[in-house]
Amino acid sequence: MPLDPYSPCPCGSGKKFKWCCAPYFATVEKAFGQEDQGQHETALQTIKGLLSTHASNPSVWLYYAQFLYKSGAAELEEAARTQAGQRGGTEENNTSYGQKFEQAEEALSKALELNPQFGMAYYLRGQFRENEGELIGALLLYRKAAEAYDAEAHDQLAATYIKIYQGESMLNRPVAARAALERAAHFVPADAELRGQLESEFGPSGPYPPAAHKKYTFRPTAKPVPESAATGKLSDARKAFEQLTQVTPDDPAAWFNLGVVLAWLGEQPKAVAALAKSIELETDDYRAEEAGALAEVLRCGFGMENDSDHLGHAFVMPMRDPNTVMRLFGAYEQAGKLRGVQVDQERGMMFGVIVEELPSLIAVGAVNLARIAARVVVIVGQGVVRLSHPNRESVAKVADEIRTALQLAVEQPAESTNPLNFRDVVMEAIAQPTGSGDEAQIEAKLRDYATNFFESVWLHRPLKALAGNAPIDAVGSKVLRKHVFGVVKFQEDCFQAARPHKRVGDQVVPIDLYNFAGLRHKLGLEYVTADPPKVHVPADAPAPAPAPAAGGPPAPAKRDVGAMNAAELAGLDLAALSVGEAEQAMLAAVKLGARDLAVAFAQAGLLKPFDAATPDRYRLYATAITGAAAGGDTARAAELIDAGTKYDTEHNGGQRETEYKLRKAQLYVKSKDAERAAAEFEALVAMHPDEGKFYTTAAEEMLRLKDGARALHFAEGGLETARRTSNRDLEGHCQELAAAARKAT
């Protein structure tokens, strides 16, 4: 299916296809088609022919790199098939695909030499690294691509952020993964599948604890960040907060915001350092707790192993005799030593936990308890058994026992240390019931076990997050005490996510095994709330907004609405806002990507009576119109345009008439109503007969609607205007549009 000439170009330039790669794209497709048909040399000559005529075009070098890499990958696959039939491939074949991979890299280097901000080149190089198994290198390149792409390259940006999301998820970095998936959904708002994935993975019912899945927002800072920093690029936000922490180094909010941005970027060590600085400066224990819990989440990510208290210790044993291994695990299951067995036939995997019954002195009565000694995964396809646990001594004991029992059926285990799954952070606090007994008795035993762990074991453990101190000792330090709040909150969140469930009637509900108020009481942690600290703001900086008074939120009129985060904006009383405040809140919500909230503020502003201080309500109407159109309510969007036009005529001297007409025309284009769209464009060119952009826009939109006759009409009108005003650029553009229109007629 041919590409729409007026759709965004696939090279990611942000330009329309017709004005970018269309002149030679048919040749690119021809070369790839020839390659697919086995005409390798002909295909190579076809794509090389483009380089002779477009040597200075970075996009051509990009397509050449894609061609070479695809060709090399096909040769590599063929060589692998050959090796399956005979030992080794020919040196000639190995050299051939290796050379093509190298040439593909060189072609990308040439593309980036011609255009250092070529997003698609970084993206393609990221794919090369990912295919080679270099996930970290691939992520860095995908992030470069996201920064380099034109803001209008929505499809390419969405694809890039999906890659970033996938990579960050594999590295156990959910904060960065969520930020990337949100950006992907932002660029393709109509993709219901993406939004569903965002909700299922990072919603309250997802696999992550609250501190890991929550949507973090910026806090108001003593010195406002310039509006110019709100570009939508994380690199610009990072730069802005880095500069702010230099100007106001004693502002905990500035450090917290910097930590959040760095977390979104996947820069865990720097993010943790910024959050630690925020905690040290913080005066409010709730804010310190949020920052501390976030830091604990980040410490669970790949690359933070040396700074984390949450590591998974694994022993992997290759299987020589899988049948003997499975017989042993079958015996374990029958004896109740292997529990929770699940089999994934499609992937050839078995999952379960190996338990160890606790001494009867602790588990008295009819109900006994067992602790989880190791998780076990058997991967048939890879021929390995994997054992893991956050306590090395526990899993090492199980590995030694299995190795002794199986003898030559398995090989010597290989040991590794990896980031820990969040649900396994509290594995040692959750026991498994054995024996018989009523439900209440079982739950009481499980509660006693969890209580004993947290209040008699965990609070005495030295933690890296507390500078090597145990929580019970850290609370005696003025600074470390604030860190303890976050460490405890993280344990609480992980415990809530990992606790077992039971069936009550038709519902499955979690079993409340422990109340962390007991641990906080044991540690003497009582929350202290306070206003933000007084921050020294340089003389050339605007003074901070008045601190909120103790005892309740301030009135919206006294707050800097534009500096609020999403939660604060959502708490505003719409009825109490003035028109100006509603518009400020709307713009703040737009910057935060809270589209529904922005539309709500816009609609609230439109209901306000006329205010002479803000006669121009175009931005309010525009946001409401966009919201209605995005929701598929074209009729409502048209009503809002008419209402906005009427209001503007009556109260603003009709200054926005052109904008409203253009909105109406674009709305009809979106609803594929060529006749009405053409009528609106006719009105526009009648109002501005010498404004060439209205002729070209109208012609392009008519071509998009496959209405060649109307497209030709507007293109010829633009030609007449161009010749009358001696506008050569407009003339050339309209000539091309006219030619395209004639073909479409």
Side-chain angles (χ1 to χ4, degrees):
M1 182 177 178
L3 289 172
D4 182 345
Y6 301 100
S7 63
C9 187
C11 76
S13 65
K15 301 176 183 177
K16 292 185 178 179
F17 177 58
K18 183 173 181 63
W19 316 123
C20 192
C21 296
Y24 50 80
F25 197 74
T27 305
V28 174
E29 290 184 312
K30 179 181 179 182
F32 277 88
Q34 291 169 335
E35 177 67 18
D36 290 340
Q37 294 167 11
Q39 303 173 34
H40 305 304
E41 188 57 37
T42 302
L44 183 61
Q45 294 307 315
T46 299
I47 196 78
K48 278 186 172 181
L50 275 179
L51 292 175
S52 62
T53 55
H54 298 82
S56 61
N57 189 320
S59 295
V60 172
W61 287 98
L62 173 86
Y63 297 132
Y64 183 47
Q66 283 182 307
F67 175 87
L68 290 170
Y69 194 86
K70 181 181 179 182
S71 177
E75 289 183 9
L76 178 59
E77 186 177 347
E78 179 61 32
R81 283 197 295 267
T82 302
Q83 280 187 326
Q86 61 184 49
R87 185 173 178 82
T90 65
E91 183 177 346
E92 180 181 353
N93 284 343
N94 292 341
T95 302
S96 177
Y97 65 70
Q99 284 180 342
K100 286 185 176 178
F101 289 157
E102 290 177 5
Q103 290 169 355
E105 290 283 0
E106 291 169 1
L108 283 182
S109 296
K110 182 63 177 179
L112 288 167
E113 178 186 322
L114 293 167
N115 179 9
Q117 293 300 310
F118 197 176
M120 186 61 83
Y122 288 119
Y123 179 83
L124 186 57
R125 182 162 278 173
Q127 287 187 307
F128 292 176
R129 298 291 82 79
E130 184 179 2
N131 292 341
E132 294 164 4
E134 296 182 20
L135 182 57
I136 300 296
L139 262 177
L140 292 172
L141 287 162
Y142 289 142
R143 289 198 178 278
K144 279 189 174 182
E147 292 292 323
Y149 273 127
D150 186 275
E152 296 301 315
H154 290 186
D155 290 345
Q156 290 81 6
L157 280 164
T160 302
Y161 277 112
I162 288 173
K163 283 288 190 182
I164 294 171
Y165 150 73
Q166 293 169 342
E168 296 290 4
S169 295
M170 292 176 65
L171 296 175
N172 208 35
R173 299 172 178 172
V175 180
R178 172 177 181 141
L181 192 57
E182 283 182 332
R183 294 300 293 165
H186 168 77
F187 286 113
V188 282
D191 192 326
E193 184 177 346
L194 262 187
R195 295 202 171 277
Q197 185 176 358
L198 183 62
E199 176 61 25
S200 65
E201 189 155 351
F202 297 101
S205 301
Y208 296 112
H213 73 59
K214 73 179 290 186
K215 180 180 177 67
Y216 287 93
T217 55
F218 294 142
R219 296 174 180 173
T221 52
K223 182 184 185 303
V225 175
E227 288 190 9
S228 58
T231 63
K233 292 188 176 182
L234 292 179
S235 60
D236 291 334
R238 171 187 180 165
K239 183 178 179 181
F241 286 118
E242 283 177 338
Q243 292 173 345
L244 193 59
T245 55
Q246 296 296 315
V247 176
T248 55
D250 52 347
D251 185 0
W255 287 103
F256 176 82
N257 294 351
L258 175 59
V260 169
V261 172
L262 291 168
W264 289 341
L265 286 166
E267 298 193 26
Q268 317 286 96
K270 292 180 180 179
V272 169
L275 291 168
K277 184 69 174 176
S278 172
I279 295 169
E280 291 167 11
L281 294 168
E282 192 53 77
T283 56
D284 183 279
D285 289 338
Y286 288 103
R287 292 193 292 266
E289 179 181 76
E290 181 186 32
L294 172 56
E296 285 291 272
V297 171
L298 301 181
R299 289 189 180 100
C300 289
F302 179 87
M304 294 295 290
E305 290 84 355
N306 293 334
D307 301 302
S308 180
D309 296 300
H310 314 294
L311 297 174
H313 301 277
F315 289 80
V316 178
M317 293 180 283
M319 296 185 291
R320 291 195 183 103
D321 184 352
N323 291 331
T324 300
V325 173
M326 296 310 294
R327 280 197 296 270
L328 176 67
F329 286 136
Y332 275 11
E333 187 176 11
Q334 282 189 340
K337 191 170 184 176
L338 176 62
R339 309 187 71 182
V341 175
Q342 294 181 332
V343 177
D344 186 334
Q345 297 284 3
E346 186 176 339
R347 294 192 293 167
M349 300 174 72
M350 184 201 79
F351 307 87
V353 293
I354 293 176
V355 301
E356 178 183 276
E357 191 161 330
L358 295 167
S360 59
L361 185 63
I362 296 178
V364 294
V367 178
N368 291 338
L369 297 181
R371 72 174 188 88
I372 298 175
R375 287 198 184 279
V376 59
V377 181
V378 179
I379 310 173
V380 177
Q382 297 179 16
V384 298
V385 175
R386 186 179 189 275
L387 303 166
S388 63
H389 195 275
N391 184 308
R392 185 192 178 281
E393 182 180 350
S394 178
V395 68
K397 180 181 176 182
V398 174
D400 184 63
E401 177 186 316
I402 291 176
R403 168 82 169 143
T404 301
L406 291 173
Q407 295 294 322
L408 296 177
V410 293
E411 298 179 15
Q412 185 70 24
E415 183 178 355
S416 64
T417 303
N418 306 288
L420 191 62
N421 181 292
F422 289 102
R423 291 175 182 263
D424 287 348
V425 166
V426 292
M427 182 188 288
E428 294 174 281
I430 301 176
Q432 298 275 318
T434 64
S436 60
D438 64 28
E439 187 177 279
Q441 188 180 18
I442 291 172
E443 291 183 16
K445 294 286 187 182
L446 293 174
R447 288 191 189 95
D448 289 343
Y449 184 83
T451 300
N452 180 70
F453 173 77
F454 285 116
E455 297 183 13
S456 299
V457 179
W458 180 83
L459 84 174
H460 293 291
R461 282 185 176 173
L463 300 176
K464 294 178 182 178
L466 301 176
N469 294 279
I472 194 69
D473 299 319
V475 291
S477 163
K478 183 179 179 180
V479 173
L480 289 179
R481 172 187 170 278
K482 292 186 284 187
H483 287 267
V484 176
F485 279 101
V487 172
V488 171
K489 177 61 175 172
F490 177 68
Q491 290 286 320
E492 182 177 21
D493 282 0
C494 291
F495 191 77
Q496 298 306 316
R499 58 187 171 169
H501 289 64
K502 64 180 179 180
R503 181 171 292 279
V504 177
D506 295 332
Q507 294 184 322
V508 176
V509 298
I511 304 173
D512 291 324
L513 296 183
Y514 184 65
N515 187 337
F516 278 79
L519 179 58
R520 293 186 178 95
H521 177 72
K522 193 92 172 178
L523 292 169
L525 289 177
E526 294 185 4
Y527 290 95
V528 175
T529 59
D531 295 339
K534 292 183 179 179
V535 176
H536 171 68
V537 180
D540 61 341
K558 297 179 181 179
R559 297 288 298 274
D560 181 1
V561 176
M564 288 183 178
N565 59 35
E568 291 171 323
L569 289 170
L572 289 174
D573 181 358
L574 297 179
L577 296 177
S578 67
V579 177
E581 288 169 334
E583 185 169 338
Q584 288 177 26
M586 178 197 74
L587 295 174
V590 170
K591 288 180 183 178
L592 292 169
R595 187 182 68 183
D596 293 343
L597 197 56
V599 172
F601 284 123
Q603 292 172 340
L606 296 180
L607 294 175
K608 304 290 180 183
F610 172 70
D611 184 348
T614 53
D616 187 356
R617 295 191 179 182
Y618 175 73
R619 289 195 290 192
L620 290 170
Y621 274 106
T623 300
I625 292 163
T626 300
D633 193 345
T634 305
R636 174 59 180 160
E639 289 175 5
L640 285 166
I641 293 172
D642 291 339
T645 303
K646 183 175 184 294
Y647 177 92
D648 190 69
T649 302
E650 294 174 353
H651 300 292
N652 197 38
Q655 294 185 37
R656 297 286 193 169
E657 183 181 5
T658 298
E659 284 93 333
Y660 282 114
K661 282 200 173 294
L662 185 57
R663 282 261 176 187
K664 180 69 76 71
Q666 291 169 336
L667 180 66
Y668 287 139
V669 169
K670 186 174 181 179
S671 60
K672 303 188 184 307
D673 189 336
E675 184 176 352
R676 290 187 178 183
E680 294 298 329
F681 280 121
E682 285 286 6
L684 274 171
V685 297
M687 290 168 59
H688 306 279
D690 293 337
E691 191 64 62
K693 67 180 180 181
F694 294 121
Y695 293 98
T696 56
T697 300
E700 288 172 356
E701 298 296 5
M702 291 301 109
L703 283 170
R704 181 184 293 277
L705 294 173
K706 313 300 182 186
D707 192 331
R710 287 192 172 98
L712 182 60
H713 166 72
F714 286 113
E716 289 178 340
L719 271 174
E720 181 182 341
T721 299
R723 289 163 182 162
R724 186 177 69 252
T725 59
S726 301
N727 187 332
R728 292 291 182 86
D729 291 337
L730 176 61
E731 183 177 5
H733 192 174
C734 289
Q735 284 175 337
E736 291 185 351
L737 286 170
R742 291 188 183 96
K743 289 181 181 179
T745 302

